[in-house]
Amino acid sequence: MEMYIVLAVTLFMMISFILHKVPFGVTTMACCLILAMTGIMDVQSAFSGFGNKIVVLIAPMLALSSVLTKTSLVARISSVMNTIKGRRGMLLVASFFLIGAIFAQFIPTTAAITILVVFLSTLDNTGDITAKRVLLPLLGVMVAWKFRFPIGLGASTFATVNGMYEGIIPNPEFQLTMLDPFIFSIPAMILLTLYCLFFWKLMPRSEEDIDQSKLKETKKAEMLSHGQEVLVYAVFAVVMLLMMLNKWTGNMLYLAPGLGVLILIYAKILRVDEAVKGMTSDMVWMIAGVLVVADALGKSGAGNAVGNLILRALGSNPSSLTVMLMFSAATVVMTTFLSNMATQTVLIPIAASVALAGGWDPRGIVLIIGTCNYFALGFPSGSGEAAVCFAAGGYNPVKVLKFTFPFMIVAILTCAFTANVMYPIY
């Protein structure tokens, strides 16, 4: 009976994520409450996700990353954009893409798109390179690079993914390291950027301007003094170093972001209410709840049952590449119509359950899902940034399909082959 209750709770969580009628964190907390009320877990275990080391890492990292918006980093990059507006041809397009890739490491893509559109709008609409032809390819580059480097939020990607399946497969040998997501994403970053650079001309011509009224307003952050900026950069450098050297620093991998937040609070650079807002965000609640549901899946045997069911559908001995291609395609297709986080949170426990049932190494599959879930380019419902981009550009998804469809094919194939080389299932 216990297994069926856990399966029902998991199904409820997945459907709720897909419908997204309430915040993800509300859904996962409801799941924790149900597990406690039905006696599957005691109260302490049902809400133990908040004390998990992964949440201890991610929560302060969200607060720490928000401080970067107070520095002059964005303004400096914007000044560089001013110097490239007079350039023409491939160099102009490449410059926009490079700045977009840099922005994608530090600030949310929706805000970055809003900033970059201001510069795109200065392009002449009668030439070959127009704002509407470049905007969607620019988003393609940004989703390929989004939080890929192990700095800021990108440094916690491995922990987020681990948290979604470690309860199903607790073997530490199959957990991702901090650099795994970055190394895995390098081929996709390179090939998708080259695709956008050489094939942006597949975008239909239009002499209409970008509709900036469709863009979301970004609040202007209070800027820091030069001395405060130096301290912020120093704190970031030390935190990232402690995390990267976790082989020698041990638990500082998980404690370093919290230490950084405390330093910035005492230095009066980060306000307490700002830190609290970041550390109690919906993402933190969601991860805390998913950790508990994943643990229930593993302990009740429900995960193994789901895995065996899918394994039978795949056949007795599917090739490693076939499995990689299947999950890569499923992720790219799902994230085109669902939010990034919903796609990732639904698919990773399923992938881990299949890997557990098959006795496979799950790392390649979960890396595929954790990477491909960002490639929401073909439809405005895929992500907030996709919605903003399609609205501002006035794009018809069918008319831009000759650009977006090959983009998705390149993404699927690249991630599948990379995973098969790095972590084949057998």
Side-chain angles (χ1 to χ4, degrees), residues 28-269:
T28 57
M29 287 303 101
C31 293
C32 293
L33 190 64
I34 293 169
L35 290 172
M37 290 175 66
T38 54
I40 303 297
M41 288 184 164
D42 57 44
V43 175
Q44 184 175 348
S45 300
F47 295 93
S48 61
F50 288 105
N52 189 284
K53 62 183 180 181
I54 292 171
V55 173
V56 170
L57 182 153
I58 291 172
M61 184 60 77
L62 289 168
L64 197 60
S65 297
S66 68
V67 183
L68 283 176
T69 61
K70 293 184 177 184
T71 68
S72 61
L73 182 65
V74 173
R76 288 177 182 176
I77 296 174
S78 296
S79 67
V80 174
M81 293 292 291
N82 273 317
T83 66
I84 68 173
K85 285 191 296 185
R87 297 178 182 177
R88 289 290 178 266
M90 187 71 78
L91 184 59
L92 175 64
V93 176
S95 299
F96 275 118
F97 288 174
L98 175 61
I99 298 298
I102 294 171
F103 263 61
Q105 306 311 312
F106 301 105
I107 57 178
T109 314
T110 304
I113 282 288
T114 303
I115 295 167
L116 292 172
V117 161
V118 174
F119 296 95
L120 281 175
S121 297
T122 63
L123 296 175
D124 186 357
N125 283 331
T126 58
D128 205 31
I129 303 174
T130 65
K132 289 188 71 169
R133 292 187 84 186
V134 174
L135 178 57
L136 194 59
L138 173 62
L139 179 63
V141 172
M142 294 179 75
V143 297
W145 288 72
K146 185 177 180 180
F147 299 137
R148 301 301 186 199
F149 281 71
I151 50 177
L153 285 179
S156 61
T157 300
F158 82 102
T160 303
V161 176
N162 280 345
M164 293 180 183
Y165 75 97
E166 70 171 7
I168 300 170
I169 304 179
N171 187 344
E173 181 186 344
F174 291 143
Q175 297 294 297
L176 301 179
T177 67
M178 184 176 171
L179 291 178
D180 279 341
F182 168 65
I183 294 170
F184 174 82
S185 64
I186 290 174
M189 286 191 294
I190 293 172
L191 290 178
L192 291 174
T193 300
L194 289 174
Y195 170 79
C196 292
L197 188 59
F198 289 104
F199 294 98
W200 60 269
K201 290 185 179 181
L202 291 174
M203 291 291 293
R205 289 178 179 273
S206 173
E207 294 186 5
E208 295 178 7
D209 289 324
I210 287 177
D211 186 357
Q212 295 194 46
S213 68
K214 302 294 185 182
L215 299 172
K216 294 183 178 179
E217 290 187 16
T218 54
K219 293 182 180 178
K220 204 165 185 178
E222 179 186 347
M223 301 306 291
L224 303 175
S225 67
H226 176 69
Q228 289 176 320
E229 274 197 28
V230 171
L231 181 58
V232 168
Y233 295 144
V235 167
F236 254 90
V238 172
V239 168
M240 294 303 115
L241 193 62
L242 288 172
M243 292 176 70
M244 288 181 180
L245 299 178
N246 67 295
K247 183 177 179 181
W248 297 277
T249 58
N251 283 332
M252 286 307 295
L253 166 66
Y254 301 97
L255 301 177
L259 176 62
V261 167
L262 285 175
I263 292 172
L264 295 181
I265 287 175
Y266 280 114
K268 299 189 182 303
I269 294 173

Side-chain angles (χ1 to χ4, degrees), residues 41 57 104 193 218 226 287 316-317 328 345 417 420:
M41 288 184 164
L57 182 153
T193 300
T218 54
H226 176 69
I287 292 172
S316 57
N317 194 29
S328 189
T345 313
F417 280 102
N420 198 50

Side-chain angles (χ1 to χ4, degrees), residues 363-391:
R363 289 174 292 181
I365 305 174
V366 297
L367 277 170
I368 284 173
I369 299 168
T371 302
C372 289
N373 78 301
Y374 282 132
F375 298 148
L377 195 68
F379 212 72
S381 61
S383 65
E385 53 263 32
V388 169
C389 191
F390 270 83

